Amino acid sequence: MAIDANSYCPCGSGKKVKFCCNDLLPELQKIDRMIGGEQFASCVQHIDRVMEKGNNRARACLLAMKCMALGGANRREELINTAADFLAKHPDNQIALAESAISIAPDDALAGYKLFLRAMRSAAGNFHIQTYGAMRLMATLLRQRGFPIPARELTEIICTVADNYELLSAHNRDQSTPLLLRDELSFSTPPEDAPWRERFLAAMGFYMTGDWLTAAERFEAMAVEVPDSPRVWYNLAMFRALLADNPGAIEAFRRYSALRTAEEDGLDDAAEAEAIAMFLSDDPLGDQIDALRVEWTVKDAERSRELLLSSPLWESIDFTPASFDVEDSPPPKGIFMLRDRPAPDPSEDLNLERMPRVLGQAMLFGRQTDREARLEIFEVWEDDLQAVADAVADTLGDAVEPDPKRETLEKTSAFYRMMRANWNPPRAATVEQFNALKDEYVRHVVYERWPERKLGVLDGRSPLEASADRASHPRLLGAIMVIRFLAEDTRFDLDFDPLYERLGLPKPAPIDPRENPLDEISTARLDRIDVERLSDQDLLEAFTRAFGFAARSALRKLSAAIIDRPSLADPSALQAAYAALAQTEFDLDRAVEYVEQARKISLAERKSCADWDIMELSLNYARGNIPEFLRLLEHIGNKHSNEPGVQETMVNILMSLGFLRPDGTPAINPADRNMMDEKAAAEPAPAGLWTPEAEPAGGGGKLWMPGD
């Protein structure tokens, strides 16, 4: 909308132009037209000319519009300087603060966020369009930098204003973030009889206007005055998290946990607070280990190559030297995989003790002009370093120098690393054998090894040692929540009850929805609801919420309840439940069975089953059933290609699987069975797995939600 005298002034004062900068109205209108026409370079020149007149150099409206024009022209250095000048002249102006945040946040997200928080305080709930622009940037950067709580809250504000919740939905369903950190924000309320009730409510009022800084300051003061109130400490923890002050939030969550532990009904809340504190830490369990690159100087490269080739621990990997065509760097003389033990004899029964594990990937380089010959081993975990060093010494002896160089490539949880043992199964091993051993191994790690491992988060004690101390139970229960999240990537449904039993801890108790209203039960606890006591409507509402947050455990429980309840025979509800079960099922054969049940409903309703055929197509590719994949590919083309969205959906899927190039031409001929089999084996879990809830560009499938 064009600027006129009754428009709000672009300076961000909240006043109309006629009461603020009316003397500049013609110039503001001209600048506005130039920005609207994307004449950014000319606009900057014009603003500079206007600013040269009279006292205009410090006019906030001109500085604000210049920042907008510079941003449109992508002249970042000038934007940084102009924003700094703007802020120096108007230190409390929300646009000056927002533009300064935008200018520095890409290089220093937290410094930019501090400025943005000041912009939110200055706005007092009346956000300028440039402040919303900064908000979008901060939400993105905070999410990328590992601050999901403020990222989600900012995203919700943006989506509410735009009346478009796609961004928020993507955030809610991002399973790389723990559910406790992507759930809807909740705060404590003050007791009715608390003498500080009004101050508590007044502090929450600042949250409603987006002034999180002042809200945090008020709760900081209350925590000093009322140090024994868990409600005050919980809200302080949440506001510190919103400020991206993770160390402060961790401290406050743990104070809250200690206070709730002392209350009769507080164990669940205390354990969740401990889990949140761990998730906010860079090292949740205090068990991080390094992934290393280790380099030995080689005295004799040819002799070393012969020794490696003759060792049962080192498997030579074929490679194309041209793929290492790097300027001034010749290709390696050999690439090897280092195992912790020789490959088992095919005649022996395969078990965990005989299963070889990969200790690292090695490259042997000859002498170069400026470098000695060397053996580089990558992806060596810190706790395997001694085994790797022993293998090098035993195989190469005096052919290498004894003291290697080491470089840390990344850090990760030792538990996470243990759960993903990098096995090297013999070629004769069947999928069934491998999966059975994987299941056995995962149970062994969780039930036997983890309880005995020392953890920093337990003050250097093992879970077994900490379990003897009742005061440590909330933190230990929180740690189990963390490992449950980390264990999800194993794609294995693990029963944690034996772990609770071994540690002597109370298992999470069922929640009676008749005593706890559904809207008061957090998404993270939906999987604990006694579904038999839910009304039909509440069951559907709980399912919808679980789906909205991709809460896998709750989805599986609620979906099964919908299918088993005779009073919920509505086809759309049943298909939604079967779709959710198929999406969350780790056993792909069983997932296909759920799809078949949903397809039967479509056929009974005399409706197209294209969505289910497409979903099964993806599942068959994922499980390596190429004949069935090809059959469905032909069937969809013959029976459904003229239905709305089907062709576009199939093109997107085939592109994501690598069968079509971006220009739509074939990259692989589906008739070439050998190539198809090789591709499926190389990519057992394709990124293009399609389910009816996915909505690829150009239309396609849709998850039928209850009530549609």
Side-chain angles (χ1 to χ4, degrees):
M1 184 180 294
I3 291 178
D4 60 30
N6 289 308
S7 301
Y8 287 104
C9 186
C11 72
S13 65
K15 300 177 183 178
K16 293 184 177 180
V17 173
K18 63 185 178 183
F19 300 125
C20 187
C21 298
N22 196 50
D23 60 315
L24 286 176
L25 179 57
E27 297 294 355
L28 297 179
Q29 290 174 326
K30 182 174 182 179
I31 294 167
D32 183 55
R33 287 194 298 271
M34 295 176 80
I35 290 176
E38 298 186 358
Q39 299 172 318
F40 300 120
S42 299
C43 183
V44 171
Q45 293 176 352
H46 180 71
I47 293 172
D48 285 340
R49 287 194 295 270
V50 175
M51 291 177 72
E52 290 297 329
K53 301 174 183 177
N55 296 320
N56 289 344
R57 183 162 292 281
R59 296 291 287 269
C61 57
L62 296 174
L63 288 164
M65 298 186 88
K66 183 176 180 180
C67 286
M68 190 180 295
L70 287 169
N74 199 28
R75 289 156 61 172
R76 187 159 180 261
E77 288 302 319
E78 292 175 73
L79 174 59
I80 292 173
N81 294 332
T82 300
D85 180 43
F86 190 2
L87 187 59
K89 291 170 178 172
H90 302 276
D92 295 321
N93 183 287
Q94 68 161 302
I95 302 176
L97 289 161
E99 290 289 356
S100 295
I102 290 172
S103 69
I104 69 171
D107 295 325
D108 190 336
L110 289 182
Y113 187 51
K114 288 179 180 178
L115 288 170
F116 175 73
L117 289 167
R118 288 173 54 195
M120 297 218 350
R121 169 146 62 187
S122 294
N126 296 311
F127 301 122
H128 191 274
I129 187 171
Q130 283 163 273
T131 306
Y132 279 119
M135 190 179 295
R136 284 191 290 270
L137 174 64
M138 294 315 311
T140 300
L141 292 177
L142 288 170
R143 186 177 179 183
Q144 292 172 349
R145 305 297 196 274
F147 297 95
I149 292 177
R152 185 195 185 280
E153 195 68 5
L154 293 175
T155 301
E156 184 163 18
I157 296 172
I158 294 164
C159 289
T160 301
V161 171
D163 194 25
N164 183 340
Y165 289 86
E166 289 184 8
L167 284 174
L168 184 61
S169 177
H171 184 101
N172 290 346
R173 295 177 60 79
D174 179 9
Q175 295 180 73
S176 66
T177 300
L179 183 55
L180 283 170
L181 301 190
R182 56 185 159 93
D183 201 354
E184 293 177 284
L185 211 59
S186 64
F187 290 95
S188 289
T189 56
E192 292 290 337
D193 58 350
W196 35 268
R197 175 180 171 80
E198 292 304 318
R199 276 173 290 156
F200 189 109
L201 294 175
M204 287 305 302
F206 289 101
Y207 162 71
M208 302 304 295
T209 65
D211 184 0
W212 302 343
L213 280 171
T214 300
E217 290 167 0
R218 296 294 179 90
F219 278 105
E220 292 273 5
M222 291 184 69
V224 174
E225 179 186 347
V226 195
D228 296 329
S229 169
R231 303 186 191 212
V232 170
W233 279 103
Y234 180 82
N235 283 11
L236 176 57
M238 293 305 301
F239 280 112
R240 284 177 173 174
L242 285 173
L243 302 185
D245 175 14
N246 282 1
I250 291 168
E251 178 205 8
F253 275 121
R254 288 186 171 151
R255 288 289 297 272
Y256 166 78
S257 172
L259 292 167
R260 281 295 279 146
T261 300
E263 298 178 345
E264 185 176 352
D265 64 343
L267 184 59
D268 280 351
D269 289 343
E272 283 189 1
E274 292 287 353
I276 293 171
M278 292 178 212
F279 283 130
L280 291 177
S281 168
D282 293 333
D283 185 5
L285 296 173
D287 70 340
Q288 277 192 347
I289 57 174
D290 293 342
L292 307 168
R293 183 187 70 84
V294 191
E295 179 183 319
W296 277 264
T297 299
V298 173
K299 300 177 183 176
D300 187 333
E302 287 303 324
R303 180 177 167 226
S304 294
R305 182 173 179 275
E306 292 172 3
L307 292 170
L308 292 171
L309 288 171
S310 63
S311 170
L313 296 181
W314 302 78
E315 180 176 333
S316 179
I317 306 297
D318 292 335
F319 70 100
T320 304
S323 64
F324 288 86
D325 185 16
V326 180
E327 187 177 356
D328 299 327
S329 180
K333 290 184 173 293
I335 298 179
F336 301 87
M337 177 174 62
L338 172 60
R339 296 183 288 243
D340 67 341
R341 66 202 68 191
D345 190 293
S347 63
E348 298 178 323
D349 290 335
L350 189 61
N351 56 37
L352 289 180
E353 292 183 0
R354 294 194 181 99
M355 177 72 83
R357 187 166 59 86
V358 177
L359 298 179
Q361 305 287 338
M363 290 194 291
L364 177 66
F365 290 92
R367 183 181 178 86
Q368 298 170 228
T369 304
D370 57 346
R371 296 190 69 173
E372 298 290 336
R374 65 194 187 278
L375 177 69
E376 295 183 7
I377 307 183
F378 300 86
E379 300 176 21
V380 176
W381 292 103
E382 186 177 4
D383 50 3
D384 286 332
L385 181 58
Q386 188 58 54
V388 170
D390 290 344
V392 171
D394 292 345
T395 304
L396 300 180
D398 61 1
V400 297
E401 297 288 354
D403 298 320
K405 302 174 186 176
R406 51 183 286 180
E407 173 190 1
T408 298
L409 303 177
E410 62 174 311
K411 294 177 179 290
T412 197
S413 162
F415 171 79
Y416 186 83
R417 206 269 317 168
M418 281 193 299
M419 289 289 283
R420 285 143 195 84
N422 191 6
W423 287 344
N424 177 227
R427 288 184 172 86
T430 66
V431 172
E432 290 74 18
Q433 281 180 307
F434 183 80
N435 287 339
L437 287 175
K438 172 190 168 186
D439 294 351
E440 179 186 348
Y441 174 78
V442 167
R443 290 187 178 93
H444 175 71
V445 168
V446 174
Y447 302 156
E448 305 297 331
R449 292 178 62 183
W450 185 75
E452 298 175 354
R453 191 173 183 97
K454 307 288 185 182
L455 300 176
V457 76
L458 298 176
D459 302 318
R461 297 171 296 170
S462 70
L464 275 173
E465 292 168 337
S467 66
D469 175 18
R470 289 187 64 84
S472 297
H473 283 190
R475 188 164 298 182
L476 187 48
L477 288 167
I480 293 176
M481 293 180 193
V482 172
I483 69 168
R484 291 187 75 150
F485 170 72
L486 296 176
E488 278 288 314
D489 279 353
T490 61
R491 300 191 61 79
F492 173 64
D493 285 313
L494 182 66
D495 180 6
F496 276 79
D497 284 358
L499 180 61
Y500 289 112
E501 291 170 5
R502 185 178 184 199
L503 297 176
L505 296 172
K507 292 181 284 188
I511 297 174
D512 188 341
R514 297 176 304 183
E515 299 176 3
N516 303 270
L518 184 60
D519 60 2
E520 295 180 8
I521 300 173
S522 69
T523 308
R525 296 186 187 181
L526 285 179
D527 63 341
R528 293 171 51 188
I529 289 181
D530 184 345
V531 293
E532 298 299 324
R533 299 186 178 186
L534 282 171
S535 68
D536 286 357
Q537 185 59 36
D538 282 349
L539 175 56
L540 294 176
E541 287 183 10
F543 171 86
T544 301
R545 177 143 56 103
F547 174 78
F549 283 88
R552 182 179 181 274
S553 181
L555 262 180
R556 295 189 61 74
K557 182 175 183 177
L558 296 165
S559 298
I562 289 172
I563 291 168
D564 291 342
R565 187 168 291 194
S567 57
L568 286 177
D570 178 67
S572 63
L574 291 173
Q575 286 187 313
Y578 280 122
L581 287 172
Q583 292 165 338
T584 55
E585 178 57 64
F586 292 148
D587 183 333
L588 296 181
D589 291 339
R590 192 173 301 149
V592 170
E593 293 173 8
Y594 292 134
V595 172
E596 178 57 27
Q597 293 300 317
R599 180 190 287 110
K600 288 179 180 178
I601 295 173
S602 288
L603 293 174
E605 293 285 302
R606 297 184 180 278
K607 294 181 179 179
S608 170
C609 56
D611 289 326
W612 305 109
D613 291 340
I614 294 171
M615 187 174 185
E616 186 178 348
L617 174 98
S618 293
L619 289 169
N620 275 301
Y621 183 84
R623 63 180 182 160
N625 189 340
I626 299 305
E628 191 63 13
F629 172 86
L630 294 173
R631 184 193 70 78
L632 283 165
L633 189 63
E634 182 179 7
H635 167 77
I636 293 167
N638 291 336
K639 299 294 185 181
H640 302 298
S641 61
N642 292 327
E643 295 177 23
V646 169
Q647 288 192 23
E648 295 90 337
T649 299
M650 290 302 301
V651 166
N652 287 330
I653 291 173
L654 294 175
M655 281 185 179
S656 69
L657 296 179
F659 295 123
L660 292 180
R661 299 186 181 92
D663 62 2
T665 58
I668 292 177
N669 181 2
D672 188 338
R673 283 294 308 277
N674 290 333
M675 186 175 293
M676 289 286 292
D677 289 340
E678 289 175 6
K679 183 167 178 55
E683 301 178 22
L689 182 62
W690 184 88
T691 56
E693 62 87 17
E695 296 186 4
K702 174 181 182 295
L703 179 64
W704 298 269
M705 295 302 296
D708 281 359

